[in-house]
Amino acid sequence: MKSTKIYWLAFFTVMLFGAESYAQYGYGGGGYGYGRGNGYGRQRIAPQTNTAPEPPKPKTAEEIVDEQMPTIAETLELNEFESAILSSILKKYVQQRIEMGILKLSPDQMREGYAKITEAQDQELKDGLPVEKYDAFVKMMKNGVQKSKKEKKKKDRKKKKKKKKIKD
């Protein structure tokens, strides 16, 4: 009878500590990671490189203007010739502004330089575009391209509504 008591006591002890060891080390597979690995967490860590992500390359004047030209041409309703004139003038003066930024002049010199560039650009645009298109361009640049585009859509909607009312 004593031997069965010892047997039962040993059995419950093994069961008690066995359950704790499974809980501690994960399903009896040798440690964290459920049977894979070597026991205590992730030991194999990929080497980390200290390379910072490359800063985006600054866009060229041509890329900047080409990106905005479709919306400008659509908003101002430019034909191909007017669009080409506007594009070439903008590319020229955006390039000059970029070059001014690279020089890193004092704020007063930058302000003066930008003012000169803007004056020259305005004069060239006046010469190259019809007066109403030039005025619309100046207004658009003052308000912003997106706002001007929204205003144009509103005007188009109003025109369509008026035409609909007239037809009815």
Side-chain angles (χ1 to χ4, degrees):
M1 185 80 176
K2 258 188 178 197
S3 64
T4 54
K5 281 185 180 179
I6 294 174
Y7 174 73
W8 285 109
L9 182 63
F11 176 73
F12 284 119
T13 307
V14 169
M15 292 300 288
L16 179 68
F17 289 116
E20 286 184 20
S21 66
Y22 281 151
Q24 180 93 24
Y25 297 108
Y27 300 117
Y32 297 116
Y34 306 104
R36 299 181 300 273
N38 56 355
Y40 297 101
R42 286 179 58 183
Q43 297 295 322
R44 294 183 189 157
I45 299 174
Q48 295 180 355
T49 57
N50 292 335
T51 57
E54 293 182 23
K57 294 180 181 177
K59 293 182 178 180
T60 64
E62 193 168 316
E63 290 172 342
I64 294 170
V65 173
D66 287 343
E67 198 173 272
Q68 294 183 355
M69 270 312 290
T71 53
I72 293 172
E74 179 184 330
T75 305
L76 299 178
E77 298 174 353
L78 300 174
N79 61 33
E80 291 294 320
F81 180 70
E82 293 167 339
S83 181
I85 290 172
L86 182 64
S87 176
S88 64
I89 292 171
L90 289 177
K91 285 176 187 176
K92 177 181 173 183
Y93 290 105
V94 168
Q95 181 62 39
Q96 288 181 7
R97 286 184 179 93
I98 290 171
E99 290 169 0
M100 288 265 312
I102 292 171
L103 293 176
K104 296 181 182 175
L105 303 171
S106 70
D108 292 334
Q109 290 175 328
M110 291 287 276
R111 213 173 294 118
E112 288 176 21
Y114 282 139
K116 288 179 183 176
I117 291 171
T118 303
E119 287 175 23
Q121 176 181 328
D122 286 346
Q123 185 59 44
E124 209 168 317
L125 286 171
K126 278 182 188 177
D127 296 340
L129 293 174
V131 177
E132 61 274 352
K133 301 274 178 144
Y134 171 75
D135 291 337
F137 177 75
V138 171
K139 182 181 177 186
M140 181 186 68
M141 294 314 277
K142 198 176 214 179
N143 294 337
V145 176
Q146 296 301 326
K147 188 173 181 181
S148 297
K149 193 173 181 181
K150 287 179 184 177
E151 288 175 3
K152 181 184 177 287
K153 285 183 179 180
K154 284 183 181 179
K155 287 180 183 177
D156 289 344
R157 286 185 201 137
K158 287 180 182 179
K159 285 180 183 178
K160 286 181 182 178
K161 285 182 180 179
K162 285 182 181 179
K163 286 181 181 179
K164 238 183 188 180
K165 287 181 181 180
I166 293 171
K167 286 182 180 179
D168 291 338

